[in-house]
Amino acid sequence: MSNHIAFTLLICSLTAFLFSLSNATANDKFDFIIIGGGTAGLTIANRLTEHPHITVAVIEAGDKVFNNSNVTDTDKFTVALGTSIDWQYESTNQTYAAGQTVSCHAGKALGGTSTINGMTWVRGEKAQIDSWETIGNEGWSWDELLPYYKKSENFIVPSPAQVAAGASYNAVDHGEGGPLRTGYHPELLNGSLHGSVETAWKSLSIPSTIDANGGDVRGFTVEQQTLDPDANVREDAARAFYYPFQERTNLHIYLKTTVAKVIWTDNDGDAIADGVKVISSNGTVSTINAKREVILSAGSLRSPAILELSGIGNPNILDKFGIPSKIVLPGVGENLMDQPNNAIVYNSSTIFNGTTGYVTYATAADFHMEPPSDEDLPIWAEQVAAANNHAVNASSLEYIFKVQSQLLKSVTNAEVFLSTGKGIGLPPSGLLATAFWLLMPFSRGSVHINSLDPLAYPTINPNYFLVDYDLKTQAAITKWVREFWMTTPMSSLASEISPGYETLPANATDAQYIEWAKTSCKAANSTDLLSVSSNAHPLGTAAMMPRKLGGVVDNRLKVYGTANLRVVDASVIPFQISGHLTATIYAIAEKAADLIKADIK
Ligand SMILES: Cc1cc2nc3c(=O)[nH]c(=O)nc-3n(C[C@H](O)[C@H](O)[C@H](O)COP(=O)(O)OP(=O)(O)OC[C@H]3O[C@@H](n4cnc5c(N)ncnc54)[C@H](O)[C@@H]3O)c2cc1C
Ligand SMILES: *[C@@H]1O[C@H](CO)[C@@H](O)[C@H](O)[C@H]1NC(C)=O
Ligand SMILES: *[C@@H]1O[C@H](CO)[C@@H](O)[C@H](O)[C@H]1NC(C)=O
Ligand SMILES: *[C@@H]1O[C@H](CO)[C@@H](O)[C@H](O)[C@H]1NC(C)=O
Ligand SMILES: *[C@@H]1O[C@H](CO)[C@@H](O)[C@H](O)[C@H]1NC(C)=O
Ligand SMILES: *[C@@H]1O[C@H](CO)[C@@H](O)[C@H](O)[C@H]1NC(C)=O
Ligand SMILES: *[C@@H]1O[C@H](CO)[C@@H](O)[C@H](O)[C@H]1NC(C)=O
Ligand SMILES: *[C@@H]1O[C@H](CO)[C@@H](O)[C@H](O)[C@H]1NC(C)=O
Ligand SMILES: *[C@@H]1O[C@H](CO)[C@@H](O)[C@H](O)[C@H]1NC(C)=O
Ligand SMILES: *[C@@H]1O[C@H](CO)[C@@H](O)[C@H](O)[C@H]1NC(C)=O
Ligand SMILES: *[C@@H]1O[C@H](CO)[C@@H](O)[C@H](O)[C@H]1NC(C)=O
């Protein structure tokens, strides 16, 4: 070592020493740092801090919403959309959905998107979860996830009045010892509508389901929800996993603090996350260090952007912003799967003063749609690969599509959701809305940074209807939903007010249905009942898949090429699921907490 270098080192360490003296508060340091205090993030924080010697910091861009009635009120779903607790992301122009943009809502609050969502509580289908293992994620099957599905849950059995209004359940399908209350809405509609809807579906060969949470969702049922039926309050991730535990001194929450990126130790071999760079609400930039791990749980629309800003992703994208590629993972931000949502609205002379949440799941055969044909799969794989500049190539996609196509022989591919205005923020009326969406799109989109500014929003492109099978499916569902409304006794109960037979004739051709499905996805806003065009179930942007297929995390949810960075949120889910996402995200987070604990040496 030359004297010159030795001298420089001495000066450096002296400077560092003096700096640490003048800057009395050294960097905060915790065993684990969780980026995002949302649905998954707070679940993991809770489970890790069960151990009093483990310290955890959760860094959340939003604030507490404990007493915000837009959150707590179980009749106000959609009211919080577009307010300050919604990130209010917007998609790019949707080339295959008539060029329109769609609103992409996501919760910006302690509790994340669970504070603003529709509260529907439905797991995926058994075969869908099993497919995660099929593509190479050992340890991820329905049987292995089921204990975790139950672990988070505190299911409240329905009252006799709720049972009379259509509530039903199988006790074996539920957990009762977990922190998260689930159950039936306390103001279920208890008139004759339930029986009428059930009868009409039965005429279309759709059976009633006792409980949609047993791994087989096909049929008609009344939805279970994430709420406390006794207090009549929404149950979100913070209410279940944080507030009752906030006295834990080993759990520290940074609110109104945005993570800019992960910072790295300077080492050879697998990259070691040293901590995160954060920006406080007053603009101050600082560093928080992790002694063990960093866990990224910023949601599927944001986690990939944080990976890219940290140097993990596709070099073609990182290069554009001068970000050195720390780890080459072209699948980061790809594989975005969201479901497109259309709605048809009816009106009745009866005032419905109660919530319904009547949910129907159907297979392609149920709604008269051909299953995907094997010959089409390579063509679709080429289309999707071309759209993502071959970041995930056609041979990988063709393999994935084969698995998905196989799944679609048995699993459902449509959900129809029938609701009165009540429960979605509207006063009691004669309105009956049917929103519906295809469940397992072949189309894939992306989420990528478009700026070096960590506060800038990423570019979000769900690519709805890129694969025309998706559009044909959505059109077939539309036609079938109308068939439902034309079936006795629905036909004598209500009349269509939107789109109406003038816009879309009763005898419309398939081509007309296709055109309507494509164009009627209007930009979302909270006052427009027809608005929700994204079904708000984006996932897959940091997929748990083998690296060679375009995966980003392995079966322990660790980012490939890193020693101690995991992603745990909707981003890791490799295929769309028929249920709504939170049940599965809580289960993934529960399992992740066990994987992380098992790795503590
Ligand atoms: C309108 C709507 C309705 C829905 N309805 C239902 C439903 O009825 N049932 C259902 O099961 N699912 C529903 N979903 C989907 C479900 O709620 C979400 O998929 C789920 O909550 C996402 O969980 P997550 O942990 O992946 O992310 P989130 O819960 O979104 O958590 C991410 C957290 O990270 C924070 N964050 C992001 N970036 C940063 C950063 N840079 N620094 C610090 N913090 C950051 C966010 O503020 C947020 O708190 C709905 C979603 C929406 C938008
Ligand atoms: C919420 O409101 C209740 C009742 O008004 C009050 O007692 C409580 O302190 C509030 N909690 C918070 C976190 O603001
Ligand atoms: C609730 O939502 C409405 C808009 O829908 C908004 O005007 C109001 O400020 C919100 N309340 C809170 C406490 O954020
Ligand atoms: C998106 O569509 C709008 C309205 O049609 C148009 O003005 C805008 O130029 C489009 N943007 C891009 C990037 O194509
Ligand atoms: C109907 O619902 C209301 C509100 O949920 C409830 O109070 C009432 O007991 C119910 N009536 C019957 C007959 O179940
Ligand atoms: C900015 O906020 C941080 C975190 O709350 C605080 O530590 C810091 O003192 C604040 N700085 C200024 C200049 O207000
Ligand atoms: C719904 O029907 C009622 C009663 O028939 C009528 O008064 C009301 O105007 C209708 N509403 C709409 C939006 O058509
Ligand atoms: C609806 O029911 C609630 C009680 O659940 C009652 O307070 C309200 O007055 C009813 N509204 C109408 C329009 O009937
Ligand atoms: C649908 O019905 C209308 C009027 O009843 C008729 O004019 C039209 O030709 C029909 N269209 C098709 C596609 O059959
Ligand atoms: C929201 O929907 C309402 C009702 O359809 C409409 O009047 C309003 O213009 C819409 N706002 C936006 C921003 O699209
Ligand atoms: C597609 O990507 C995989 C994984 O990177 C690779 O093994 C395969 O050779 C690629 N195929 C083509 C046709 O480029």
Side-chain angles (χ1 to χ4, degrees):
M1 190 187 288
S2 77
N3 283 344
H4 175 71
I5 294 176
F7 181 72
T8 311
L9 279 177
L10 176 68
I11 295 295
C12 286
S13 48
L14 261 180
T15 314
F17 176 65
L18 289 173
F19 181 77
S20 73
L21 278 185
S22 64
N23 189 8
T25 51
N27 285 346
D28 294 341
K29 200 161 186 161
F30 300 87
D31 290 321
F32 293 92
I33 291 175
I34 299 173
I35 304 173
T39 313
L42 290 182
T43 307
I44 302 163
N46 177 301
R47 295 306 185 186
L48 293 181
T49 54
E50 282 173 347
H51 195 308
H53 300 301
I54 294 178
T55 58
V56 172
V58 173
I59 302 162
E60 168 55 45
D63 206 348
K64 287 185 187 172
V65 289
F66 181 80
N67 276 2
N68 182 330
S69 64
N70 292 347
V71 173
T72 55
D73 193 325
T74 58
D75 277 337
K76 282 195 179 164
F77 169 52
T78 75
V79 174
L81 305 183
T83 70
S84 62
I85 66 169
D86 177 3
W87 283 93
Q88 303 181 44
Y89 297 120
E90 195 73 18
S91 81
T92 58
N93 291 2
Q94 292 301 285
T95 310
Y96 311 95
Q100 66 209 304
T101 63
V102 299
S103 297
C104 301
H105 305 288
K108 185 183 183 182
L110 194 64
T113 305
S114 72
T115 66
I116 63 165
N117 75 7
M119 294 179 282
T120 304
W121 181 250
V122 188
R123 300 169 185 158
E125 291 212 54
K126 185 175 184 301
Q128 287 166 333
I129 309 300
D130 286 344
S131 73
W132 303 0
E133 191 152 62
T134 307
I135 61 168
N137 299 304
E138 204 197 322
W140 293 87
S141 61
W142 173 265
D143 287 345
E144 280 161 297
L145 203 58
L146 187 57
Y148 293 110
Y149 269 127
K150 292 181 179 176
K151 187 174 183 185
S152 54
E153 198 183 16
N154 175 9
F155 181 72
I156 316 280
V157 304
S159 66
Q162 287 174 316
V163 170
S168 60
Y169 71 104
N170 288 326
V172 292
D173 293 330
H174 294 279
E176 282 150 27
L180 186 87
R181 289 182 181 83
T182 63
Y184 282 91
H185 201 289
E187 286 157 14
L188 281 185
L189 184 71
N190 55 11
S192 60
L193 185 66
H194 178 261
S196 302
V197 171
E198 187 171 45
T199 302
W201 283 126
K202 233 164 225 155
S203 308
L204 299 178
S205 303
I206 297 297
S208 290
T209 318
I210 292 175
D211 199 318
N213 273 311
D216 177 11
V217 300
R218 180 176 171 265
F220 164 68
T221 197
V222 180
E223 68 169 345
Q224 295 164 6
Q225 292 187 284
T226 42
L227 48 72
D228 178 345
D230 303 319
N232 195 6
V233 165
R234 171 197 292 268
E235 185 81 341
D236 59 56
R239 204 165 276 274
F241 286 96
Y242 176 65
Y243 297 122
F245 304 90
Q246 59 185 323
E247 304 306 325
R248 286 183 187 172
T249 52
N250 55 336
L251 173 56
H252 187 84
I253 310 271
Y254 293 82
L255 293 169
K256 296 195 275 181
T257 307
T258 305
V259 171
K261 61 176 178 181
V262 175
I263 50 175
W264 303 101
T265 303
D266 191 11
N267 69 299
D268 298 326
D270 281 349
I272 298 173
D274 191 30
V276 292
K277 194 173 140 189
V278 303
I279 307 168
S280 308
S281 52
N282 61 16
T284 307
V285 176
S286 58
T287 296
I288 303 172
N289 291 108
K291 285 187 259 183
R292 294 178 181 275
E293 292 197 18
V294 174
I295 297 147
L296 178 52
S297 303
S300 58
L301 301 178
R302 204 62 183 262
S303 286
I306 295 171
L307 289 173
E308 289 177 341
L309 290 168
S310 310
I312 303 178
N314 184 346
N316 294 336
I317 291 164
L318 271 51
D319 285 352
K320 277 191 246 165
F321 303 98
I323 301 171
S325 292
K326 177 102 184 154
I327 300 163
V328 174
L329 277 181
V332 169
E334 302 298 339
N335 291 314
L336 172 62
M337 285 164 265
D338 191 19
Q339 301 152 333
N341 183 310
N342 297 83
I344 301 187
V345 183
Y346 284 71
N347 185 30
S348 157
S349 52
T350 308
I351 303 286
F352 300 108
N353 189 10
T355 68
T356 45
Y358 297 164
V359 179
T360 304
Y361 284 99
T363 62
D366 291 327
F367 57 86
H368 323 303
M369 179 69 189
E370 294 296 318
S373 124
D374 284 349
E375 292 95 79
D376 286 333
L377 303 181
I379 301 165
W380 299 344
E382 282 295 346
Q383 286 171 343
V384 173
N388 70 40
N389 295 316
H390 305 274
V392 179
N393 71 27
S395 50
S396 295
L397 284 160
E398 192 181 333
Y399 168 73
I400 295 290
F401 286 179
K402 274 191 184 133
V403 175
Q404 181 168 331
S405 172
Q406 188 63 31
L407 270 179
L408 283 171
K409 291 182 178 157
S410 64
V411 305
T412 53
N413 203 20
E415 179 173 345
V416 182
F417 193 93
L418 191 157
S419 84
T420 62
K422 205 149 150 63
I424 54 173
L426 296 173
S429 71
L431 227 55
L432 292 169
T434 24
F436 48 90
W437 53 94
L438 83 108
L439 293 164
M440 298 200 80
F442 284 94
S443 303
R444 300 287 192 273
S446 62
V447 176
H448 291 297
I449 50 166
N450 62 18
S451 163
L452 262 181
D453 176 2
L455 300 177
Y457 283 7
T459 298
I460 299 169
N461 180 6
N463 261 332
Y464 299 118
F465 305 139
L466 164 66
V467 172
D468 74 344
Y469 182 79
D470 294 349
L471 180 55
K472 287 179 183 156
T473 299
Q474 189 71 358
I477 301 167
T478 309
K479 197 170 169 181
W480 188 61
V481 168
R482 266 187 155 180
E483 199 182 327
F484 161 79
W485 284 105
M486 289 174 195
T487 299
T488 316
M490 301 316 291
S491 51
S492 56
L493 212 142
S495 48
E496 186 172 310
I497 54 174
S498 177
Y501 290 120
E502 271 161 36
T503 307
L504 188 64
N507 63 356
T509 60
D510 287 352
Q512 283 173 296
Y513 274 105
I514 284 175
E515 190 57 23
W516 181 81
K518 183 163 70 178
T519 54
S520 80
C521 285
K522 292 268 158 27
N525 85 44
S526 56
T527 51
D528 186 352
L529 196 65
L530 283 176
S531 64
V532 190
S533 64
S534 160
N535 194 47
H537 289 179
L539 51 76
T541 50
M544 175 173 66
M545 295 199 293
R547 193 168 183 172
K548 64 176 169 36
L549 289 179
V552 174
V553 300
D554 65 16
N555 67 337
R556 301 184 76 78
L557 303 174
K558 207 169 265 182
V559 176
Y560 290 113
T562 75
N564 65 340
L565 175 65
R566 297 190 214 233
V567 181
V568 188
D569 60 21
S571 315
V572 302
I573 304 176
F575 287 107
Q576 262 300 351
I577 54 174
S578 293
H580 293 234
L581 300 188
T582 54
T584 299
I585 293 168
Y586 284 120
I588 291 171
E590 291 279 17
K591 184 173 160 93
D594 273 2
L595 292 172
I596 294 164
K597 283 173 168 171
D599 283 351
I600 296 175
K601 287 168 200 91

